[in-house]
Amino acid sequence: SQQGEEDPQALSIQEGENATMNCSYKTSINNLQWYRQNSGRGLVHLILIRSNEREKHSGRLRVTLDTSKKSSSLLITASRAADTASYFCATDALSGSARQLTFGSGTQLTVLP
Amino acid sequence: DGGITQSPKYLFRKEGQNVTLSCEQNLNHDAMYWYRQDPGQGLRLIYYSQIVNDFQKGDIAEGYSVSREKKESFPLTVTSAQKNPTAFYLCATTDSFQPSSNQPQHFGDGTRLSIL
């Protein structure tokens, strides 16, 4: 089941601008993760935020998590053409006795030079 | 991810044929996963394995089978029962399957399967 849903589905910005992507989910989570996928490639892990954390930074990336609203956002500052990719949020939660990562449908980011 | 090798990169299946996708890892990770990705969509879990000789069905296991005879290997067979197999298949691993481990998944570069 698709628990995480990203918004917007597509985003086009100029190089140097900031890009913000949002993710909403439905059930309690252990952590939330953001991944990046270049066309035709596998996913690359960007950042993981635990359920007891509210904000996390990694280089030009800033992730926030609001468990009361069941939402997260990914901010990419000073974007570059090389940031063009699809970005997915994934929620890590217990499903029965198993731990599963459930992915949203992604935001396609295009950074124009 | 250099630690996970998926092969082949492209695969074509004829009607009624079973095909097997390879996933090998040298990360010494316990857990391995298979996902299917359709165009413009997120990933859906097919099968996962927490440990050698054990595997569990994910959300869309029908028409697929797996084995986990070695820690390093988790091959996926797409059987003739899978009527719509055209998709991008991704293999992933995590160090531990424990819920509290807070570990990210590491992905291979995928196999694109098409029907002839």
Side-chain angles (χ1 to χ4, degrees):
Chain A
S1 60
Q2 301 277 334
Q3 166 159 242
E5 291 297 331
E6 288 91 343
D7 169 57
Q9 288 186 320
L11 180 60
S12 184
I13 59 174
Q14 294 293 134
E15 204 164 26
E17 293 180 339
N18 295 343
T20 299
M21 288 159 267
N22 302 297
C23 171
S24 60
Y25 59 92
K26 297 175 184 175
T27 64
S28 295
I29 61 172
N30 188 46
N31 63 64
L32 186 143
Q33 303 175 30
W34 285 91
Y35 289 81
R36 166 196 169 121
Q37 183 181 33
N38 286 76
S39 181
R41 302 295 299 274
L43 276 68
V44 175
H45 178 258
L46 295 176
I47 199 164
L48 181 153
I49 187 165
R50 300 181 186 194
S51 58
N52 62 353
E53 296 176 313
R54 292 297 166 257
E55 188 171 314
K56 205 162 183 179
H57 296 254
S58 177
R60 292 184 296 112
L61 306 180
R62 172 178 169 250
V63 168
T64 62
L65 179 64
D66 186 336
T67 52
S68 66
K69 294 181 179 178
K70 292 187 170 55
S71 67
S72 173
S73 68
L74 170 67
L75 168 68
I76 304 174
T77 60
S79 63
R80 305 165 182 168
D83 293 329
T84 294
S86 293
Y87 292 81
F88 295 90
C89 71
T91 51
D92 187 328
L94 277 175
S95 176
S97 61
R99 173 177 164 240
Q100 282 195 26
L101 202 60
T102 305
F103 289 83
S105 54
T107 293
Q108 172 61 53
L109 173 66
T110 302
V111 182
L112 302 169
Chain B
D1 193 322
I4 301 169
T5 302
Q6 289 189 241
S7 62
K9 191 170 178 66
Y10 300 95
L11 187 58
F12 298 91
R13 195 193 88 170
K14 296 179 181 178
E15 290 287 339
Q17 184 183 42
N18 292 353
V19 292
T20 298
L21 285 61
S22 170
C23 177
E24 302 281 330
Q25 57 112 349
N26 62 6
L27 300 171
N28 201 34
H29 284 178
D30 286 327
M32 298 186 74
Y33 310 80
W34 273 107
Y35 293 95
R36 170 182 171 137
Q37 185 178 32
D38 291 282
Q41 301 292 315
L43 279 63
R44 292 184 290 169
L45 183 64
I46 305 172
Y47 268 98
Y48 61 94
S49 169
Q50 303 175 57
I51 198 168
V52 175
N53 293 323
D54 178 74
F55 50 83
Q56 305 293 330
K57 293 182 178 180
D59 298 323
I60 55 165
E62 186 174 350
Y64 301 97
S65 66
V66 293
S67 63
R68 185 86 186 275
E69 296 176 2
K70 299 186 299 182
K71 186 175 186 177
E72 303 78 20
S73 180
F74 191 41
L76 173 73
T77 296
V78 183
T79 74
S80 57
Q82 173 49 248
K83 298 306 179 188
N84 183 24
T86 297
F88 190 49
Y89 291 86
L90 287 159
C91 176
T93 71
T94 51
D95 187 18
S96 170
F97 200 79
Q98 294 305 314
S100 61
S101 68
N102 286 308
Q103 293 294 316
Q105 290 192 3
H106 302 258
F107 284 82
D109 264 345
T111 292
R112 190 166 299 279
L113 175 63
S114 302
I115 294 182
L116 280 177

